[in-house]
Amino acid sequence: QTDLNVSLDNLNATIISSNFWPPIQDEALNLPEPVEQLLTDYAKRYTEIKTPRKLIWKKNLGSVKLELQFEDRAMQFNVTPLHASIIMQFQDQKKWTSKNLAAAVGVPVDVLNRRINFWISKGVLAESIGADSADHAFTLVETMNDTGKSGTIDGGCEELLAGDEDGERSVASVEDQLRKEMTVYEKFITGMLTNFGSMALDRIHNTLKMFCIADPTYDKSLQQLQSFLSGLVAEEKLELRDGMYFLRK
């Protein structure tokens, strides 16, 4: 059992600007209705204060603090929004098939089956094979006796953030997106270094801003350029010596 009476005091938002961050991978996710309403109210207030700015939520990113109350124990968790959304579906319905649960949460079945393993490993859910062997069934474990396991729960907070594959994939997608966007400037950088022999990071940056004003317009930050140039150095296309970039010979 969990309390879904959440308020704006329960929400801490990290706001990033699309002007300075590359696109972050969006993944479909259905949040519980009270949470969806909370995000809507927060975004509305933000727009009222910061007009004409508006918020676009990345619902698959972030962390959620949960306390789950059972008949014989209470457990605290700090998990991803997807893991929280999965377990919240068991608030009113104690048993789900993987196909129905995936549809309710708004993710593919294979993603659901990977993510739900966390709750199974913590003894919160039990898995069984349904009538369709490809469609597993998951049941909420109300008491530890239901699992056939002995032992006690100490009430400590379980973390599932640092090594989460969803977060890693989102970060990786940002790097891939940046790499893809920056590749179009590689020929300009090669041309500059061919003409000038060597250039410092800030000079390359300023030259790109000066000359790449038509499509595609150069709109990257100094840090993004540095990251891209580091990739070219790692690929042995460029050399970096004493803060100067050279074409690798």
Side-chain angles (χ1 to χ4, degrees):
Q1 179 180 339
T2 54
D3 184 1
L4 282 179
N5 292 322
V6 291
S7 70
L8 290 174
D9 294 334
N10 301 121
L11 177 63
N12 292 317
T14 298
I15 300 174
I16 59 177
S17 171
S18 59
N19 293 326
F20 302 102
W21 283 66
I24 295 177
Q25 181 176 351
D26 274 321
E27 296 180 0
L29 176 61
N30 298 332
L31 298 176
E33 180 56 36
V35 179
E36 289 279 9
Q37 188 60 52
L38 182 66
L39 297 183
T40 299
D41 293 344
Y42 190 104
K44 182 180 179 181
R45 290 195 185 185
Y46 180 87
T47 299
E48 290 172 352
I49 297 172
K50 297 288 188 178
T51 304
R53 298 177 182 175
K54 63 180 181 179
L55 295 179
I56 300 175
W57 295 106
K58 304 295 183 181
K59 297 178 184 178
N60 57 307
L61 302 180
S63 63
V64 182
K65 292 182 179 180
L66 293 176
E67 179 172 326
L68 305 183
Q69 297 282 348
F70 299 93
E71 293 181 10
D72 61 348
R73 67 202 190 281
M75 304 175 73
Q76 294 180 339
F77 297 92
N78 193 9
V79 296
T80 67
L82 175 52
H83 286 91
S85 295
I86 290 173
I87 200 61
M88 294 311 300
Q89 295 296 328
F90 290 84
Q91 173 80 357
D92 299 315
Q93 183 173 326
K94 307 305 181 185
K95 186 173 183 177
W96 287 83
T97 63
S98 55
K99 291 180 181 178
N100 290 341
L101 183 57
V105 177
V107 299
V109 173
D110 62 323
V111 173
L112 181 283
N113 286 335
R114 290 198 307 271
R115 297 291 159 255
I116 205 168
N117 281 332
F118 172 77
W119 295 118
I120 296 171
S121 70
K122 299 305 176 185
V124 174
L125 298 178
E127 181 181 17
S128 60
I129 304 299
D132 180 354
S133 60
D135 193 15
H136 293 199
F138 304 101
T139 306
L140 187 69
V141 178
E142 289 287 3
T143 68
M144 292 302 292
N145 290 335
D146 294 341
T147 66
K149 298 178 181 178
S150 60
T152 59
I153 300 298
D154 61 10
C157 182
E158 296 282 357
E159 296 274 351
L160 180 63
L161 294 173
D164 182 66
E165 293 179 17
D166 289 333
E168 291 174 355
R169 186 166 63 250
S170 295
V171 172
S173 70
V174 171
E175 295 173 348
D176 293 342
Q177 180 71 24
L178 176 60
R179 173 69 178 164
K180 181 178 180 181
E181 292 179 359
M182 290 293 294
T183 298
V184 71
Y185 305 113
E186 184 174 343
K187 64 179 183 293
F188 293 104
I189 295 170
T190 300
M192 283 188 281
L193 294 178
T194 299
N195 290 331
F196 296 107
S198 64
M199 298 178 73
L201 174 64
D202 58 350
R203 188 180 179 194
I204 296 175
H205 181 61
N206 291 331
T207 304
L208 287 171
K209 286 198 296 183
M210 185 182 304
F211 291 103
C212 296
I213 54 177
D215 187 31
T217 302
Y218 178 74
D219 58 357
K220 305 307 176 188
S221 69
L222 197 65
Q223 291 77 15
Q224 289 172 327
L225 174 61
Q226 185 176 31
S227 176
F228 178 68
L229 293 178
S230 296
L232 295 181
V233 171
E235 294 173 5
E236 300 187 346
K237 294 180 178 180
L238 301 182
E239 292 183 32
L240 176 61
R241 298 196 304 270
D242 299 324
M244 304 294 288
Y245 290 92
F246 302 79
L247 287 176
R248 190 173 183 86
K249 299 179 180 178

